[in-house]
Amino acid sequence: MQQPTSISAPSRAAGVGALLQLLRDGGPRTRADLVNETGMGRSTVTLRLDALLRTGLVRAEAGSSTGGRPPTAVRFEPSARTVLAVDVGAAHLAIAVTDLSGTVLAEHREPIAIDEGPQAVLERVRRAGTTLLTDLAPHPPLAGVGVGLPGPVEHATGRPRTPPIMPGWDGADVAGILGATFDVPVLVDNDVDLMALGEHAEVYPEIEHLMFVTIATGIGAGIIAGGSLVRGADGAAGDLGHIAVPGGAPVPCTCGNTGCLEALASGPALIHALRAAQRPVSTAEDVLALVADGDVEAAERMRLAGQNLGAVLAGCVNLLNPSVIVIGGPFAAAGSPLFTGIEQVVRARSLPLATARLRVVPSRTEGRAGLLGAARAVADHVLAPVAVEAMPEV
Amino acid sequence: MQQPTSISAPSRAAGVGALLQLLRDGGPRTRADLVNETGMGRSTVTLRLDALLRTGLVRAEAGSSTGGRPPTAVRFEPSARTVLAVDVGAAHLAIAVTDLSGTVLAEHREPIAIDEGPQAVLERVRRAGTTLLTDLAPHPPLAGVGVGLPGPVEHATGRPRTPPIMPGWDGADVAGILGATFDVPVLVDNDVDLMALGEHAEVYPEIEHLMFVTIATGIGAGIIAGGSLVRGADGAAGDLGHIAVPGGAPVPCTCGNTGCLEALASGPALIHALRAAQRPVSTAEDVLALVADGDVEAAERMRLAGQNLGAVLAGCVNLLNPSVIVIGGPFAAAGSPLFTGIEQVVRARSLPLATARLRVVPSRTEGRAGLLGAARAVADHVLAPVAVEAMPEV
């Protein structure tokens, strides 16, 4: 059989996503820039750019007025779509509507109990999300929903996998339940993984190796290595809380082992130790208030928690060689006693090469790392070339 | 100024690399397959394929003879180039000539002392490499040299960075010295990182999350996460040897700290402990012979080393959630006592979710993981689209 020799017309969609990616990462460009950078023909660029302009994801910039007719530049338009970002914690729910660059347009917080189970908690998410969107109306089309959960999540299906502190949630179809209401893609991920993604995107976009560590009811970490999130084979990466602390006291842990980091340095462990020392504390805020008031016992307990955390982080530094470790969660606000404790042990127990440029710093996203990460995950998903090329308008 | 409206001719080179990548990853294809999969026009595919056929990296397969004139398939031809793969250890040098798929064509091993310094050791590499290539002549063109070194390497420059067991090597221009002889790209990397790359490419290409751990004079790890090597911000990732063993004895380590994994479970630590128990051992082979002979003390020491290693690996499993941990180096041959010790602690101290599908296995590349990884690194480098598109023949 002879092969046909006619030249196929280039697919109209192929390359649209690549153009958008260029504009999203690198700022405004003229058509000539895009022809140069992609190697596509001018007519092809024009065809594809017209398709992108129709989606609203790209818009023409106003020309400069220095005389003549300057070539019009086009740029990515993050406000063309909205995202519903959801951060489900053990005891709180935070929801935000953002644009595609993570700018928060509206935000809502309420206390919850994760052990109410998925139906009840996700009903709260539906109600609060719908209210936020209604109050904002008219708003640009919703592109997707991003959800962080406080346990391991199977990335491919978005279902929680045997999450230890989420009774009733194992295998729950979170995406299906929320998708039925919002009718857009729903991405589900571990909450600390999303915090790492959010802090990285917002504060450290140029850093390749970063860890985000939360100290709260539990202790967990999100890992960025080589610029990408490390989820692990079962979505269980970053479980710092049940690593045995080298040299730590053999305190029993809720997991059945002894000497886990969580048993020594979590919020409940700190509160327990301070109560034993006759300090009337029952929340993280109480502990932080004592530290701020100069209570010596509280500062010392916070420093010890930092040392125990540092003993585990020293191993993480030897293993992963990050250049930034971000400490998040309420206790990060304890400041000096906590960070001094961490630094003492990390610097003593890690290779000099790995600590020479290492920074251990508090989170700079004001408790919004999880929301920003959820927004980022959705934006990355819906703006990926394969997704853009499948858009009905393109 | 009006924009010109003529259609640029597509760059002749752009896309050549993408075609090669398809053929390298996915087996033989016809021109029609390539048109379908790339969305390029038929004449474009023909033009680019002709360029690839001229490089020899792609060749036409003999047509099947089931009648008619079947469309000719083309395939990647790994024997079109050779690679010099070099594995420099503390006390050994291994060199191989391979093809682009890591098939070993010739191999040489000799004892060295890494503290002879870079000039003397690299002179041995030059001599042995030249001899291997001369003996093979005529051979396909040399595409590159890959070198593994027993210390941290700055990936961008290929220079060792304050390597603890390599006196005289700090900042040495290994690539420059070898490049002057072989006149091809020289890639330099940490030896255990290359072992992880080699074992992964050869045995576990479908596995996304893997650790390769060597137990020898030192203890180190190479980490594959999400399918990619994790080198860390300073090329220092994977330094298992100086992580403090939770619950381990406070034995002094060469690094100045106490209780490091290397002080408890490395080759020298094992030999020291067995000598103290009146066993006349001085090499890994001696220790392995005792274990094979059923010496109870040797088996018990090996099991304890496994438990200490397991205590550190449990933290790695919680942190990275790999699905395979490969144990390499001479002591992996100790078999059951070592692996039983590792498994006991890893299974007890890691999350059930992270260990349910975890396998801890001996290396299956017969001491060649480092060479295979060096060959793989060079192949990935010289066959990357940007490199292929810059080839003078293309």
Side-chain angles (χ1 to χ4, degrees), chain B residues 49-369:
Chain B
L49 215 44
D50 286 349
L52 281 175
L53 287 160
R54 283 195 298 277
T55 66
L57 291 170
V58 163
R59 61 187 294 172
E61 287 211 309
S64 73
S65 55
T66 56
R69 274 178 54 191
T72 308
V74 291
R75 65 174 175 84
F76 172 58
E77 178 52 65
S79 70
R81 299 286 187 283
T82 51
V83 173
L84 196 62
V86 183
D87 183 11
V88 178
H92 77 271
L93 168 65
I95 307 194
V97 180
T98 76
D99 72 7
L100 290 170
S101 67
T103 300
V104 174
L105 308 174
E107 193 172 355
H108 166 86
R109 286 175 186 261
E110 66 181 76
I112 61 160
I114 192 74
D115 53 14
E116 289 176 32
Q119 291 299 339
V121 170
L122 295 179
E123 177 56 32
R124 288 169 182 273
V125 172
R126 287 164 53 167
R127 210 178 308 138
T130 306
T131 303
L132 278 181
L133 287 166
T134 307
D135 290 352
L136 265 182
H139 59 75
L142 186 66
V145 178
V147 184
L149 298 178
V153 173
E154 184 173 64
H155 185 58
T157 62
R159 291 171 188 254
R161 289 191 63 160
T162 59
I165 65 160
M166 300 174 67
W169 287 76
D170 188 19
D173 184 13
V174 177
I177 294 170
L178 294 179
T181 296
F182 296 107
D183 200 24
V184 288
V186 179
L187 302 186
V188 189
D189 220 325
N190 171 264
D191 56 353
V192 193
D193 283 350
L194 290 183
M195 290 176 202
L197 201 61
E199 189 88 12
H200 182 254
E202 186 77 8
V203 187
Y204 305 99
E206 307 299 322
I207 294 287
E208 293 268 293
H209 298 270
L210 170 149
M211 281 183 71
F212 187 101
V213 178
T214 48
I215 317 171
T217 309
I219 297 179
I223 300 163
I224 306 273
S228 300
L229 200 55
V230 175
R231 294 190 172 87
D234 307 283
D239 185 36
L240 281 198
H242 300 285
I243 295 181
V245 178
V251 176
C253 182
T254 52
C255 74
N257 274 315
T258 60
C260 295
L261 179 58
E262 242 171 65
L264 293 171
S266 65
L270 275 163
I271 289 166
H272 180 81
L274 283 170
R275 284 188 172 185
Q278 318 301 330
R279 300 298 189 283
V281 291
S282 54
T283 66
E285 289 66 34
D286 297 342
V287 175
L288 292 171
L290 271 190
V291 173
D293 285 353
D295 184 286
V296 173
E297 180 74 19
E300 178 59 13
R301 286 287 159 190
M302 198 55 82
R303 198 178 61 80
L304 283 174
Q307 289 184 329
N308 282 312
L309 182 56
V312 168
L313 288 180
C316 299
V317 168
N318 283 337
L319 194 65
L320 294 172
N321 184 23
S323 47
V324 175
I325 297 178
V326 180
I327 309 292
F331 293 99
S336 176
L338 177 69
F339 284 84
T340 302
I342 296 172
E343 295 265 359
Q344 281 172 340
V345 183
V346 168
R347 307 261 168 213
R349 290 275 358 174
S350 303
L351 263 194
L353 175 60
T355 55
R357 300 192 291 180
L358 174 68
R359 288 178 286 160
V360 182
V361 294
S363 169
R364 288 167 50 188
T365 51
E366 299 173 334
R368 287 199 183 85

Side-chain angles (χ1 to χ4, degrees), chain A residues 57-136:
Chain A
L57 291 170
V58 163
R59 60 187 295 170
E61 288 210 310
S64 72
S65 55
T66 55
R69 274 179 54 191
T72 308
V74 291
R75 65 176 174 84
F76 172 57
E77 178 52 65
S79 71
R81 298 288 187 283
T82 51
V83 174
L84 196 63
V86 182
D87 183 11
V88 178
H92 77 270
L93 167 65
I95 307 193
V97 179
T98 76
D99 72 7
L100 291 169
S101 67
T103 300
V104 175
L105 308 174
E107 192 172 356
H108 167 84
R109 288 175 184 258
E110 66 182 77
I112 62 160
I114 192 76
D115 54 14
E116 290 175 30
Q119 291 301 337
V121 170
L122 295 179
E123 177 56 32
R124 288 171 183 273
V125 172
R126 287 163 54 168
R127 210 178 308 140
T130 305
T131 303
L132 279 182
L133 288 166
T134 306
D135 290 352
L136 265 181

Side-chain angles (χ1 to χ4, degrees), chain A residues 3-4 42-43 71 152 209 223 232-240 242 257-258 260 318-321 348-349 351 353 357, chain B residues 3-4 7 42-43 71 152 209 223 232-240 242 257-258 260 318-321 348-349 351 353 357:
Chain A
Q3 308 262 337
R42 175 164 294 271
S43 66
H209 299 268
I223 300 163
D234 306 284
D239 186 35
L240 280 198
H242 300 286
N257 274 316
T258 59
C260 296
N318 283 337
L319 195 63
L320 294 172
N321 183 23
R349 289 277 355 175
L351 264 192
L353 175 60
R357 299 192 292 180
Chain B
Q3 310 263 334
I7 299 171
R42 175 164 294 273
S43 65
H209 298 270
I223 300 163
D234 307 283
D239 185 36
L240 281 198
H242 300 285
N257 274 315
T258 60
C260 295
N318 283 337
L319 194 65
L320 294 172
N321 184 23
R349 290 275 358 174
L351 263 194
L353 175 60
R357 300 192 291 180

Side-chain angles (χ1 to χ4, degrees), chain A residues 284-299:
Chain A
E285 288 66 35
D286 296 342
V287 176
L288 293 171
L290 273 189
V291 173
D293 285 353
D295 183 286
V296 174
E297 180 74 19

